[in-house]
Amino acid sequence: MPNHLIVEGPQLGVLSIKLHRPEALNALNTALLAELADTLIAAQDDAEVRTVVITGSRRAFAAGADIKEMAERDLVGMLEDPRQRHWSTITRFSKPIIAAVNGFCLGGGCELAMHADILIAGEDARFGQPEINLGIMPGAGGTQRLVRAVGKALATQMVLTGEPISARRALEAGLVSEITQPELTVERAIAVAETIAAKAPLAVRLAREALHKAEDTDLATGLRFERHAFTLLAGTKDREEGIHAFQEKRPATFNGH
Ligand code: CAA
């Protein structure tokens, strides 16, 4: 049983993971990251889990890496840091993650949110990479993913000044796809997750991989991948079902084959 997470579901294909270290604004200590990685490993193999929602509290999605824990690690400690393994597990997770973000979403918290495929934010959310204030810099993908998410100009300002941006600014910049009233953020994220969970799993998986290629590769390679993935889906039963359901004017029932 995890100590720093509240895990619910899957319900209607959605696994809900709530970060729960209220005493530290959900700071991502190694134990929490390990629990998150373990939960995702189990979710990876569970066919009932089609999508995952990660959320925090109303006050904080997560206020970063745990600074108290980090203070105890020297250079060698950082080199041998098990956290890197946990981050890799989160990165490799192959089902869609929706982050429901309220309150502080800082440092490693912002980096975790950027591992999500879709970010939905409450109006009061604050996104930032304040590591520079501690004499360090983002270390879990912050510089790379933020540039891709909001562009070089805003990412540079955020990383070098450490100053956070509002949910509205994050929406304008493309970091989040929707803003809600804070009390509705999780509900909305679950609704989006349920919508995706009802689609054909193989189509979702390949579409997601193709979208990732847009960040990882050049256009020609990405287009080639897209065409291969599109072609591959022609061999699935779910494609047959989707087309038949349309023709028969009924909802499709996809089963992942
Ligand atoms: N690590 C450990 N504890 C943290 C924490 C963190 N990142 N952020 C907050 N806390 C703790 C505080 O120490 C405090 O605990 P105590 O009551 O025991 O002192 C509790 O959470 C509540 O925090 P505050 O009293 O500071 O609350 P506030 O409302 O006044 O301020 C805040 C909120 C602006 C988010 C402030 O807590 C803050 O600046 N936190 C640190 C943010 C930060 O620098 N994050 C980057 C961490 S480095 C990193 O993430 C590296 C990486 O990329 C891999």
mmCIF file of all heavy atoms in Angstrom, residues 81-134:
data_model
loop_
_atom_site.group_PDB
_atom_site.id
_atom_site.type_symbol
_atom_site.label_atom_id
_atom_site.label_comp_id
_atom_site.label_asym_id
_atom_site.label_seq_id
_atom_site.Cartn_x
_atom_site.Cartn_y
_atom_site.Cartn_z
ATOM 1 N N ASP A 81 21.749 8.602 -7.700
ATOM 2 C CA ASP A 81 20.376 8.858 -7.273
ATOM 3 C C ASP A 81 19.368 7.876 -7.900
ATOM 4 O O ASP A 81 19.257 7.805 -9.131
ATOM 5 C CB ASP A 81 20.018 10.294 -7.717
ATOM 6 C CG ASP A 81 18.820 10.837 -6.977
ATOM 7 O OD1 ASP A 81 18.080 10.016 -6.417
ATOM 8 O OD2 ASP A 81 18.645 12.062 -6.981
ATOM 9 N N PRO A 82 18.644 7.107 -7.096
ATOM 10 C CA PRO A 82 17.646 6.176 -7.656
ATOM 11 C C PRO A 82 16.473 6.893 -8.315
ATOM 12 O O PRO A 82 15.699 6.300 -9.064
ATOM 13 C CB PRO A 82 17.161 5.388 -6.430
ATOM 14 C CG PRO A 82 17.433 6.272 -5.267
ATOM 15 C CD PRO A 82 18.648 7.095 -5.628
ATOM 16 N N ARG A 83 16.333 8.210 -8.045
ATOM 17 C CA ARG A 83 15.201 8.957 -8.603
ATOM 18 C C ARG A 83 15.201 8.907 -10.128
ATOM 19 O O ARG A 83 14.155 8.890 -10.747
ATOM 20 C CB ARG A 83 15.263 10.418 -8.154
ATOM 21 C CG ARG A 83 15.182 10.593 -6.661
ATOM 22 C CD ARG A 83 15.546 12.014 -6.269
ATOM 23 N NE ARG A 83 14.621 12.974 -6.815
ATOM 24 C CZ ARG A 83 13.454 13.304 -6.265
ATOM 25 N NH1 ARG A 83 13.104 12.750 -5.122
ATOM 26 N NH2 ARG A 83 12.668 14.185 -6.823
ATOM 27 N N GLN A 84 16.414 8.871 -10.703
ATOM 28 C CA GLN A 84 16.496 8.864 -12.167
ATOM 29 C C GLN A 84 15.766 7.650 -12.752
ATOM 30 O O GLN A 84 15.089 7.731 -13.769
ATOM 31 C CB GLN A 84 17.974 8.873 -12.584
ATOM 32 C CG GLN A 84 18.207 9.143 -14.050
ATOM 33 C CD GLN A 84 17.330 10.287 -14.590
ATOM 34 O OE1 GLN A 84 17.237 11.351 -13.983
ATOM 35 N NE2 GLN A 84 16.666 10.061 -15.718
ATOM 36 N N ARG A 85 15.911 6.523 -12.054
ATOM 37 C CA ARG A 85 15.237 5.289 -12.488
ATOM 38 C C ARG A 85 13.713 5.478 -12.441
ATOM 39 O O ARG A 85 12.994 5.068 -13.337
ATOM 40 C CB ARG A 85 15.683 4.152 -11.551
ATOM 41 C CG ARG A 85 15.253 2.783 -11.946
ATOM 42 C CD ARG A 85 16.110 1.715 -11.244
ATOM 43 N NE ARG A 85 16.535 2.051 -9.890
ATOM 44 C CZ ARG A 85 15.845 1.812 -8.779
ATOM 45 N NH1 ARG A 85 14.665 1.240 -8.864
ATOM 46 N NH2 ARG A 85 16.316 2.145 -7.583
ATOM 47 N N HIS A 86 13.233 6.119 -11.377
ATOM 48 C CA HIS A 86 11.787 6.319 -11.248
ATOM 49 C C HIS A 86 11.269 7.266 -12.340
ATOM 50 O O HIS A 86 10.225 7.038 -12.933
ATOM 51 C CB HIS A 86 11.440 6.855 -9.863
ATOM 52 C CG HIS A 86 11.948 5.990 -8.749
ATOM 53 N ND1 HIS A 86 11.925 4.618 -8.814
ATOM 54 C CD2 HIS A 86 12.505 6.295 -7.540
ATOM 55 C CE1 HIS A 86 12.437 4.112 -7.703
ATOM 56 N NE2 HIS A 86 12.801 5.116 -6.927
ATOM 57 N N TRP A 87 12.033 8.331 -12.595
ATOM 58 C CA TRP A 87 11.624 9.250 -13.670
ATOM 59 C C TRP A 87 11.563 8.506 -15.006
ATOM 60 O O TRP A 87 10.657 8.726 -15.821
ATOM 61 C CB TRP A 87 12.590 10.433 -13.781
ATOM 62 C CG TRP A 87 12.369 11.528 -12.760
ATOM 63 C CD1 TRP A 87 13.231 11.907 -11.773
ATOM 64 C CD2 TRP A 87 11.222 12.393 -12.634
ATOM 65 N NE1 TRP A 87 12.690 12.944 -11.034
ATOM 66 C CE2 TRP A 87 11.460 13.265 -11.546
ATOM 67 C CE3 TRP A 87 10.026 12.512 -13.336
ATOM 68 C CZ2 TRP A 87 10.548 14.242 -11.145
ATOM 69 C CZ3 TRP A 87 9.111 13.483 -12.930
ATOM 70 C CH2 TRP A 87 9.382 14.330 -11.856
ATOM 71 N N SER A 88 12.558 7.606 -15.243
ATOM 72 C CA SER A 88 12.566 6.860 -16.514
ATOM 73 C C SER A 88 11.321 5.993 -16.633
ATOM 74 O O SER A 88 10.736 5.867 -17.719
ATOM 75 C CB SER A 88 13.793 5.948 -16.629
ATOM 76 O OG SER A 88 14.934 6.723 -16.601
ATOM 77 N N THR A 89 10.915 5.387 -15.524
ATOM 78 C CA THR A 89 9.701 4.561 -15.543
ATOM 79 C C THR A 89 8.501 5.411 -15.916
ATOM 80 O O THR A 89 7.658 5.009 -16.729
ATOM 81 C CB THR A 89 9.468 3.931 -14.147
ATOM 82 O OG1 THR A 89 10.602 3.143 -13.825
ATOM 83 C CG2 THR A 89 8.214 3.079 -14.110
ATOM 84 N N ILE A 90 8.415 6.609 -15.334
ATOM 85 C CA ILE A 90 7.280 7.501 -15.626
ATOM 86 C C ILE A 90 7.310 7.896 -17.108
ATOM 87 O O ILE A 90 6.286 7.885 -17.786
ATOM 88 C CB ILE A 90 7.325 8.743 -14.697
ATOM 89 C CG1 ILE A 90 7.190 8.314 -13.231
ATOM 90 C CG2 ILE A 90 6.232 9.749 -15.076
ATOM 91 C CD1 ILE A 90 7.574 9.382 -12.210
ATOM 92 N N THR A 91 8.512 8.187 -17.614
ATOM 93 C CA THR A 91 8.650 8.584 -19.017
ATOM 94 C C THR A 91 8.218 7.459 -19.961
ATOM 95 O O THR A 91 7.600 7.709 -20.998
ATOM 96 C CB THR A 91 10.123 8.962 -19.331
ATOM 97 O OG1 THR A 91 10.544 9.938 -18.389
ATOM 98 C CG2 THR A 91 10.285 9.508 -20.732
ATOM 99 N N ARG A 92 8.552 6.224 -19.577
ATOM 100 C CA ARG A 92 8.272 5.088 -20.483
ATOM 101 C C ARG A 92 6.822 4.631 -20.458
ATOM 102 O O ARG A 92 6.402 3.859 -21.318
ATOM 103 C CB ARG A 92 9.168 3.895 -20.110
ATOM 104 C CG ARG A 92 10.600 4.006 -20.614
ATOM 105 C CD ARG A 92 11.277 2.652 -20.571
ATOM 106 N NE ARG A 92 11.120 2.002 -19.287
ATOM 107 C CZ ARG A 92 11.946 2.150 -18.255
ATOM 108 N NH1 ARG A 92 12.981 2.953 -18.371
ATOM 109 N NH2 ARG A 92 11.733 1.523 -17.124
ATOM 110 N N PHE A 93 6.041 5.078 -19.484
ATOM 111 C CA PHE A 93 4.648 4.626 -19.359
ATOM 112 C C PHE A 93 3.916 4.902 -20.673
ATOM 113 O O PHE A 93 3.978 6.007 -21.208
ATOM 114 C CB PHE A 93 3.984 5.358 -18.188
ATOM 115 C CG PHE A 93 2.599 4.874 -17.892
ATOM 116 C CD1 PHE A 93 2.383 3.581 -17.440
ATOM 117 C CD2 PHE A 93 1.500 5.707 -18.062
ATOM 118 C CE1 PHE A 93 1.100 3.128 -17.160
ATOM 119 C CE2 PHE A 93 0.216 5.267 -17.782
ATOM 120 C CZ PHE A 93 0.019 3.969 -17.330
ATOM 121 N N SER A 94 3.206 3.898 -21.179
ATOM 122 C CA SER A 94 2.715 4.041 -22.560
ATOM 123 C C SER A 94 1.214 4.319 -22.672
ATOM 124 O O SER A 94 0.664 4.277 -23.765
ATOM 125 C CB SER A 94 3.077 2.800 -23.374
ATOM 126 O OG SER A 94 2.214 1.744 -23.014
ATOM 127 N N LYS A 95 0.547 4.585 -21.553
ATOM 128 C CA LYS A 95 -0.877 4.942 -21.648
ATOM 129 C C LYS A 95 -1.024 6.436 -21.355
ATOM 130 O O LYS A 95 -0.185 7.015 -20.653
ATOM 131 C CB LYS A 95 -1.682 4.108 -20.641
ATOM 132 C CG LYS A 95 -1.521 2.600 -20.887
ATOM 133 C CD LYS A 95 -2.271 1.742 -19.899
ATOM 134 C CE LYS A 95 -1.939 0.278 -20.129
ATOM 135 N NZ LYS A 95 -2.684 -0.650 -19.272
ATOM 136 N N PRO A 96 -2.096 7.053 -21.854
ATOM 137 C CA PRO A 96 -2.222 8.500 -21.658
ATOM 138 C C PRO A 96 -2.347 8.886 -20.179
ATOM 139 O O PRO A 96 -3.074 8.252 -19.423
ATOM 140 C CB PRO A 96 -3.504 8.852 -22.417
ATOM 141 C CG PRO A 96 -3.688 7.756 -23.402
ATOM 142 C CD PRO A 96 -3.152 6.527 -22.733
ATOM 143 N N ILE A 97 -1.623 9.940 -19.821
ATOM 144 C CA ILE A 97 -1.706 10.511 -18.479
ATOM 145 C C ILE A 97 -2.327 11.904 -18.602
ATOM 146 O O ILE A 97 -1.890 12.713 -19.426
ATOM 147 C CB ILE A 97 -0.311 10.632 -17.820
ATOM 148 C CG1 ILE A 97 0.330 9.253 -17.640
ATOM 149 C CG2 ILE A 97 -0.411 11.356 -16.477
ATOM 150 C CD1 ILE A 97 1.737 9.294 -17.053
ATOM 151 N N ILE A 98 -3.327 12.150 -17.774
ATOM 152 C CA ILE A 98 -3.911 13.491 -17.710
ATOM 153 C C ILE A 98 -3.539 14.059 -16.344
ATOM 154 O O ILE A 98 -3.809 13.419 -15.312
ATOM 155 C CB ILE A 98 -5.457 13.461 -17.857
ATOM 156 C CG1 ILE A 98 -5.933 13.000 -19.228
ATOM 157 C CG2 ILE A 98 -6.027 14.886 -17.752
ATOM 158 C CD1 ILE A 98 -5.774 11.782 -19.770
ATOM 159 N N ALA A 99 -2.906 15.222 -16.320
ATOM 160 C CA ALA A 99 -2.569 15.859 -15.044
ATOM 161 C C ALA A 99 -3.660 16.871 -14.719
ATOM 162 O O ALA A 99 -4.023 17.708 -15.561
ATOM 163 C CB ALA A 99 -1.215 16.553 -15.123
ATOM 164 N N ALA A 100 -4.198 16.781 -13.514
ATOM 165 C CA ALA A 100 -5.186 17.756 -13.031
ATOM 166 C C ALA A 100 -4.451 18.616 -11.995
ATOM 167 O O ALA A 100 -4.113 18.145 -10.915
ATOM 168 C CB ALA A 100 -6.359 17.029 -12.383
ATOM 169 N N VAL A 101 -4.192 19.871 -12.365
ATOM 170 C CA VAL A 101 -3.272 20.699 -11.576
ATOM 171 C C VAL A 101 -4.000 21.851 -10.890
ATOM 172 O O VAL A 101 -4.576 22.709 -11.555
ATOM 173 C CB VAL A 101 -2.157 21.285 -12.481
ATOM 174 C CG1 VAL A 101 -1.221 22.171 -11.676
ATOM 175 C CG2 VAL A 101 -1.389 20.180 -13.181
ATOM 176 N N ASN A 102 -3.938 21.868 -9.564
ATOM 177 C CA ASN A 102 -4.385 23.029 -8.792
ATOM 178 C C ASN A 102 -3.211 23.534 -7.958
ATOM 179 O O ASN A 102 -2.344 22.749 -7.560
ATOM 180 C CB ASN A 102 -5.529 22.646 -7.840
ATOM 181 C CG ASN A 102 -6.866 22.561 -8.558
ATOM 182 O OD1 ASN A 102 -7.150 23.348 -9.458
ATOM 183 N ND2 ASN A 102 -7.686 21.611 -8.160
ATOM 184 N N GLY A 103 -3.196 24.823 -7.698
ATOM 185 C CA GLY A 103 -2.209 25.392 -6.782
ATOM 186 C C GLY A 103 -0.786 25.344 -7.323
ATOM 187 O O GLY A 103 -0.556 25.436 -8.528
ATOM 188 N N PHE A 104 0.190 25.161 -6.398
ATOM 189 C CA PHE A 104 1.609 25.203 -6.788
ATOM 190 C C PHE A 104 1.978 23.996 -7.646
ATOM 191 O O PHE A 104 1.693 22.852 -7.281
ATOM 192 C CB PHE A 104 2.503 25.224 -5.542
ATOM 193 C CG PHE A 104 2.299 26.423 -4.665
ATOM 194 C CD1 PHE A 104 1.725 26.302 -3.405
ATOM 195 C CD2 PHE A 104 2.668 27.689 -5.103
ATOM 196 C CE1 PHE A 104 1.522 27.411 -2.597
ATOM 197 C CE2 PHE A 104 2.466 28.812 -4.303
ATOM 198 C CZ PHE A 104 1.899 28.676 -3.047
ATOM 199 N N CYS A 105 2.609 24.277 -8.753
ATOM 200 C CA CYS A 105 3.107 23.210 -9.626
ATOM 201 C C CYS A 105 4.519 23.648 -10.002
ATOM 202 O O CYS A 105 4.740 24.323 -11.009
ATOM 203 C CB CYS A 105 2.203 23.091 -10.854
ATOM 204 S SG CYS A 105 2.619 21.721 -11.934
ATOM 205 N N LEU A 106 5.470 23.320 -9.125
ATOM 206 C CA LEU A 106 6.792 23.939 -9.195
ATOM 207 C C LEU A 106 7.905 22.887 -9.313
ATOM 208 O O LEU A 106 7.777 21.776 -8.784
ATOM 209 C CB LEU A 106 7.045 24.768 -7.928
ATOM 210 C CG LEU A 106 6.009 25.857 -7.616
ATOM 211 C CD1 LEU A 106 6.314 26.509 -6.270
ATOM 212 C CD2 LEU A 106 5.969 26.901 -8.725
ATOM 213 N N GLY A 107 8.999 23.298 -9.944
ATOM 214 C CA GLY A 107 10.187 22.453 -10.006
ATOM 215 C C GLY A 107 9.842 21.051 -10.515
ATOM 216 O O GLY A 107 9.228 20.888 -11.576
ATOM 217 N N GLY A 108 10.227 20.041 -9.721
ATOM 218 C CA GLY A 108 9.926 18.660 -10.105
ATOM 219 C C GLY A 108 8.433 18.424 -10.285
ATOM 220 O O GLY A 108 8.023 17.539 -11.045
ATOM 221 N N GLY A 109 7.605 19.210 -9.613
ATOM 222 C CA GLY A 109 6.150 19.099 -9.772
ATOM 223 C C GLY A 109 5.729 19.510 -11.177
ATOM 224 O O GLY A 109 4.907 18.853 -11.821
ATOM 225 N N CYS A 110 6.311 20.594 -11.660
ATOM 226 C CA CYS A 110 6.027 21.058 -13.019
ATOM 227 C C CYS A 110 6.587 20.043 -14.025
ATOM 228 O O CYS A 110 5.962 19.737 -15.040
ATOM 229 C CB CYS A 110 6.654 22.442 -13.227
ATOM 230 S SG CYS A 110 6.155 23.239 -14.755
ATOM 231 N N GLU A 111 7.762 19.491 -13.679
ATOM 232 C CA GLU A 111 8.358 18.477 -14.566
ATOM 233 C C GLU A 111 7.488 17.228 -14.618
ATOM 234 O O GLU A 111 7.319 16.622 -15.677
ATOM 235 C CB GLU A 111 9.777 18.159 -14.095
ATOM 236 C CG GLU A 111 10.719 19.329 -14.336
ATOM 237 C CD GLU A 111 12.069 19.166 -13.667
ATOM 238 O OE1 GLU A 111 12.101 18.824 -12.468
ATOM 239 O OE2 GLU A 111 13.088 19.370 -14.341
ATOM 240 N N LEU A 112 6.909 16.851 -13.477
ATOM 241 C CA LEU A 112 5.995 15.702 -13.472
ATOM 242 C C LEU A 112 4.761 16.016 -14.321
ATOM 243 O O LEU A 112 4.340 15.197 -15.147
ATOM 244 C CB LEU A 112 5.588 15.339 -12.038
ATOM 245 C CG LEU A 112 4.542 14.234 -11.919
ATOM 246 C CD1 LEU A 112 5.059 12.924 -12.530
ATOM 247 C CD2 LEU A 112 4.153 14.008 -10.446
ATOM 248 N N ALA A 113 4.211 17.198 -14.131
ATOM 249 C CA ALA A 113 3.014 17.571 -14.910
ATOM 250 C C ALA A 113 3.323 17.531 -16.401
ATOM 251 O O ALA A 113 2.468 17.137 -17.208
ATOM 252 C CB ALA A 113 2.526 18.957 -14.488
ATOM 253 N N MET A 114 4.554 17.903 -16.760
ATOM 254 C CA MET A 114 4.913 17.896 -18.187
ATOM 255 C C MET A 114 5.136 16.485 -18.727
ATOM 256 O O MET A 114 5.276 16.298 -19.932
ATOM 257 C CB MET A 114 6.130 18.785 -18.440
ATOM 258 C CG MET A 114 5.789 20.266 -18.347
ATOM 259 S SD MET A 114 7.092 21.327 -18.973
ATOM 260 C CE MET A 114 8.321 21.185 -17.691
ATOM 261 N N HIS A 115 5.192 15.491 -17.847
ATOM 262 C CA HIS A 115 5.212 14.101 -18.328
ATOM 263 C C HIS A 115 3.817 13.672 -18.776
ATOM 264 O O HIS A 115 3.667 12.633 -19.425
ATOM 265 C CB HIS A 115 5.685 13.145 -17.226
ATOM 266 C CG HIS A 115 7.177 13.064 -17.108
ATOM 267 N ND1 HIS A 115 7.939 14.074 -16.592
ATOM 268 C CD2 HIS A 115 8.049 12.085 -17.458
ATOM 269 C CE1 HIS A 115 9.216 13.716 -16.616
ATOM 270 N NE2 HIS A 115 9.299 12.510 -17.143
ATOM 271 N N ALA A 116 2.805 14.445 -18.383
ATOM 272 C CA ALA A 116 1.437 14.093 -18.757
ATOM 273 C C ALA A 116 1.204 14.422 -20.229
ATOM 274 O O ALA A 116 1.848 15.306 -20.796
ATOM 275 C CB ALA A 116 0.450 14.859 -17.885
ATOM 276 N N ASP A 117 0.255 13.706 -20.827
ATOM 277 C CA ASP A 117 -0.088 13.972 -22.229
ATOM 278 C C ASP A 117 -0.994 15.181 -22.334
ATOM 279 O O ASP A 117 -0.961 15.904 -23.339
ATOM 280 C CB ASP A 117 -0.797 12.745 -22.811
ATOM 281 C CG ASP A 117 0.125 11.543 -22.817
ATOM 282 O OD1 ASP A 117 0.936 11.445 -23.738
ATOM 283 O OD2 ASP A 117 0.071 10.745 -21.867
ATOM 284 N N ILE A 118 -1.838 15.370 -21.327
ATOM 285 C CA ILE A 118 -2.769 16.496 -21.314
ATOM 286 C C ILE A 118 -2.737 17.107 -19.920
ATOM 287 O O ILE A 118 -2.772 16.375 -18.920
ATOM 288 C CB ILE A 118 -4.211 16.020 -21.640
ATOM 289 C CG1 ILE A 118 -4.262 15.407 -23.050
ATOM 290 C CG2 ILE A 118 -5.219 17.163 -21.512
ATOM 291 C CD1 ILE A 118 -5.590 14.726 -23.384
ATOM 292 N N LEU A 119 -2.654 18.440 -19.849
ATOM 293 C CA LEU A 119 -2.688 19.121 -18.553
ATOM 294 C C LEU A 119 -3.961 19.958 -18.473
ATOM 295 O O LEU A 119 -4.237 20.760 -19.373
ATOM 296 C CB LEU A 119 -1.502 20.071 -18.386
ATOM 297 C CG LEU A 119 -0.154 19.474 -17.972
ATOM 298 C CD1 LEU A 119 0.498 18.789 -19.145
ATOM 299 C CD2 LEU A 119 0.753 20.566 -17.442
ATOM 300 N N ILE A 120 -4.696 19.757 -17.395
ATOM 301 C CA ILE A 120 -5.879 20.580 -17.133
ATOM 302 C C ILE A 120 -5.623 21.294 -15.810
ATOM 303 O O ILE A 120 -5.213 20.656 -14.827
ATOM 304 C CB ILE A 120 -7.134 19.690 -17.083
ATOM 305 C CG1 ILE A 120 -7.307 19.089 -18.483
ATOM 306 C CG2 ILE A 120 -8.357 20.487 -16.640
ATOM 307 C CD1 ILE A 120 -8.534 18.337 -18.753
ATOM 308 N N ALA A 121 -5.808 22.609 -15.819
ATOM 309 C CA ALA A 121 -5.397 23.385 -14.645
ATOM 310 C C ALA A 121 -6.565 24.150 -14.042
ATOM 311 O O ALA A 121 -7.440 24.639 -14.767
ATOM 312 C CB ALA A 121 -4.301 24.376 -15.041
ATOM 313 N N GLY A 122 -6.563 24.260 -12.737
ATOM 314 C CA GLY A 122 -7.474 25.159 -12.047
ATOM 315 C C GLY A 122 -6.996 26.594 -12.238
ATOM 316 O O GLY A 122 -5.800 26.830 -12.452
ATOM 317 N N GLU A 123 -7.936 27.530 -12.137
ATOM 318 C CA GLU A 123 -7.600 28.944 -12.363
ATOM 319 C C GLU A 123 -6.494 29.449 -11.456
ATOM 320 O O GLU A 123 -5.786 30.396 -11.788
ATOM 321 C CB GLU A 123 -8.853 29.808 -12.114
ATOM 322 C CG GLU A 123 -9.846 29.769 -13.242
ATOM 323 C CD GLU A 123 -11.253 30.144 -12.788
ATOM 324 O OE1 GLU A 123 -11.492 30.255 -11.563
ATOM 325 O OE2 GLU A 123 -12.114 30.311 -13.666
ATOM 326 N N ASP A 124 -6.326 28.804 -10.299
ATOM 327 C CA ASP A 124 -5.334 29.285 -9.339
ATOM 328 C C ASP A 124 -3.985 28.572 -9.468
ATOM 329 O O ASP A 124 -3.094 28.772 -8.640
ATOM 330 C CB ASP A 124 -5.871 29.096 -7.905
ATOM 331 C CG ASP A 124 -6.080 27.614 -7.580
ATOM 332 O OD1 ASP A 124 -5.984 26.779 -8.518
ATOM 333 O OD2 ASP A 124 -6.325 27.286 -6.412
ATOM 334 N N ALA A 125 -3.825 27.742 -10.473
ATOM 335 C CA ALA A 125 -2.562 26.992 -10.600
ATOM 336 C C ALA A 125 -1.415 27.943 -10.930
ATOM 337 O O ALA A 125 -1.606 28.960 -11.615
ATOM 338 C CB ALA A 125 -2.700 25.922 -11.685
ATOM 339 N N ARG A 126 -0.237 27.623 -10.400
ATOM 340 C CA ARG A 126 0.969 28.412 -10.691
ATOM 341 C C ARG A 126 2.043 27.439 -11.157
ATOM 342 O O ARG A 126 2.393 26.502 -10.426
ATOM 343 C CB ARG A 126 1.490 29.131 -9.441
ATOM 344 C CG ARG A 126 0.443 29.921 -8.699
ATOM 345 C CD ARG A 126 0.267 31.306 -9.233
ATOM 346 N NE ARG A 126 1.418 32.152 -8.978
ATOM 347 C CZ ARG A 126 1.622 33.318 -9.600
ATOM 348 N NH1 ARG A 126 0.758 33.724 -10.516
ATOM 349 N NH2 ARG A 126 2.663 34.055 -9.310
ATOM 350 N N PHE A 127 2.565 27.668 -12.342
ATOM 351 C CA PHE A 127 3.580 26.778 -12.909
ATOM 352 C C PHE A 127 4.933 27.482 -12.866
ATOM 353 O O PHE A 127 5.038 28.635 -13.304
ATOM 354 C CB PHE A 127 3.241 26.449 -14.368
ATOM 355 C CG PHE A 127 1.973 25.657 -14.518
ATOM 356 C CD1 PHE A 127 0.741 26.299 -14.605
ATOM 357 C CD2 PHE A 127 2.009 24.269 -14.559
ATOM 358 C CE1 PHE A 127 -0.433 25.568 -14.739
ATOM 359 C CE2 PHE A 127 0.840 23.533 -14.691
ATOM 360 C CZ PHE A 127 -0.387 24.181 -14.780
ATOM 361 N N GLY A 128 5.942 26.780 -12.376
ATOM 362 C CA GLY A 128 7.247 27.427 -12.351
ATOM 363 C C GLY A 128 8.382 26.439 -12.195
ATOM 364 O O GLY A 128 8.200 25.289 -11.782
ATOM 365 N N GLN A 129 9.571 26.914 -12.564
ATOM 366 C CA GLN A 129 10.807 26.141 -12.361
ATOM 367 C C GLN A 129 11.712 27.022 -11.495
ATOM 368 O O GLN A 129 12.587 27.716 -12.008
ATOM 369 C CB GLN A 129 11.466 25.836 -13.720
ATOM 370 C CG GLN A 129 10.638 24.981 -14.650
ATOM 371 C CD GLN A 129 10.471 23.526 -14.256
ATOM 372 O OE1 GLN A 129 9.565 22.849 -14.709
ATOM 373 N NE2 GLN A 129 11.308 23.017 -13.364
ATOM 374 N N PRO A 130 11.497 26.987 -10.158
ATOM 375 C CA PRO A 130 12.232 27.907 -9.285
ATOM 376 C C PRO A 130 13.606 27.403 -8.832
ATOM 377 O O PRO A 130 14.217 28.000 -7.943
ATOM 378 C CB PRO A 130 11.284 28.020 -8.076
ATOM 379 C CG PRO A 130 10.590 26.703 -8.023
ATOM 380 C CD PRO A 130 10.504 26.194 -9.418
ATOM 381 N N GLU A 131 14.118 26.341 -9.450
ATOM 382 C CA GLU A 131 15.379 25.747 -8.985
ATOM 383 C C GLU A 131 16.516 26.753 -8.940
ATOM 384 O O GLU A 131 17.405 26.669 -8.095
ATOM 385 C CB GLU A 131 15.780 24.567 -9.901
ATOM 386 C CG GLU A 131 14.883 23.356 -9.796
ATOM 387 C CD GLU A 131 13.706 23.358 -10.758
ATOM 388 O OE1 GLU A 131 13.368 24.446 -11.283
ATOM 389 O OE2 GLU A 131 13.112 22.290 -10.972
ATOM 390 N N ILE A 132 16.487 27.745 -9.866
ATOM 391 C CA ILE A 132 17.580 28.714 -9.948
ATOM 392 C C ILE A 132 17.723 29.467 -8.613
ATOM 393 O O ILE A 132 18.818 29.882 -8.229
ATOM 394 C CB ILE A 132 17.344 29.690 -11.131
ATOM 395 C CG1 ILE A 132 18.638 30.321 -11.607
ATOM 396 C CG2 ILE A 132 16.300 30.754 -10.823
ATOM 397 C CD1 ILE A 132 19.411 29.514 -12.581
ATOM 398 N N ASN A 133 16.602 29.602 -7.882
ATOM 399 C CA ASN A 133 16.636 30.282 -6.579
ATOM 400 C C ASN A 133 17.416 29.482 -5.536
ATOM 401 O O ASN A 133 17.795 30.013 -4.500
ATOM 402 C CB ASN A 133 15.215 30.518 -6.056
ATOM 403 C CG ASN A 133 14.418 31.429 -6.963
ATOM 404 O OD1 ASN A 133 14.990 32.326 -7.581
ATOM 405 N ND2 ASN A 133 13.122 31.191 -7.053
ATOM 406 N N LEU A 134 17.592 28.183 -5.813
ATOM 407 C CA LEU A 134 18.320 27.313 -4.882
ATOM 408 C C LEU A 134 19.762 27.115 -5.353
ATOM 409 O O LEU A 134 20.490 26.287 -4.812
ATOM 410 C CB LEU A 134 17.641 25.939 -4.792
ATOM 411 C CG LEU A 134 16.174 25.918 -4.336
ATOM 412 C CD1 LEU A 134 15.575 24.538 -4.547
ATOM 413 C CD2 LEU A 134 16.072 26.311 -2.868
#
